[in-house]
Amino acid sequence: MGVFAARPIARLNYFGPYCCKKYNNSIDRKRTHYTWEVRQNNTSLVFIIIIIRMQVHDKSGNIIHYVDGSELNKSNWLRYINCPENLHQQNLVAFVVDESEIFYLVTRDIPIGQELLVYYGDIYAKKLGIDTTKFS
């Protein structure tokens, strides 16, 4: 499964927010793989996808909440965007707005039929068997 462009998509467009159910405490680790872990420090955003949950942190690193995109009635199509196998394939980057909402920014023009791909981080890529040195 994946998401493919039905029409040309211009660079600097964005999609979102990534819809999900939000939790104030950790979610069941065996439940889902449509999830993010997002940490924010004082200088930059660091995005890490893991197989089990998403954590949204404030600027001090404290967890604000967890999110889970596994439930169809509480998620949207962004959950189907796959991870690229190398940096050249990536055409989206994730960013957080107001320390809570995840959006995907288009980094280059995407022609009709091309798959939308965002790099979710080394931890998730390794679980998929992707050589993470291709993203350094």
Side-chain angles (χ1 to χ4, degrees):
M1 191 168 291
V3 177
F4 297 83
R7 59 183 166 82
I9 304 169
R11 181 178 174 265
L12 301 181
N13 275 295
Y14 64 89
F15 303 106
Y18 181 92
C19 294
C20 51
K21 187 171 181 179
K22 296 180 182 181
Y23 296 88
N24 290 329
N25 52 20
S26 183
I27 60 178
D28 182 357
R29 292 177 179 250
K30 297 176 184 165
R31 222 175 127 201
T32 179
H33 62 268
Y34 295 108
T35 56
W36 278 91
E37 176 180 326
V38 179
R39 297 178 188 216
Q40 185 175 16
N41 62 30
N42 290 330
T43 58
S44 64
L45 292 176
V46 179
F47 298 93
I48 305 169
I49 186 138
I50 57 176
I51 209 78
I52 46 126
R53 68 178 186 266
M54 176 186 157
Q55 299 174 347
V56 179
H57 298 252
D58 64 16
K59 291 180 181 180
S60 300
N62 299 314
I63 297 170
I64 298 170
H65 58 262
Y66 298 84
V67 296
D68 175 2
S70 65
E71 294 182 38
L72 286 174
N73 62 340
K74 294 187 169 73
S75 64
N76 60 11
W77 63 275
L78 294 175
R79 74 190 220 138
Y80 297 113
I81 294 177
N82 288 320
C83 185
E85 293 184 11
N86 59 59
L87 188 58
H88 177 72
Q89 291 178 326
Q90 180 176 340
N91 49 26
L92 303 173
V93 293
F95 65 98
V96 176
V97 174
D98 295 330
E99 297 182 349
S100 64
E101 302 292 343
I102 299 169
F103 289 81
Y104 295 161
L105 177 69
V106 179
T107 58
R108 60 182 167 86
D109 292 342
I110 301 172
I112 293 173
Q114 187 173 88
E115 186 172 11
L116 280 63
L117 298 166
V118 65
Y119 188 64
Y120 293 109
D122 291 350
I123 294 170
Y124 185 66
K126 285 177 183 175
K127 288 183 182 290
L128 296 176
I130 295 171
D131 179 3
T132 58
T133 61
K134 295 179 180 180
F135 292 91
S136 300

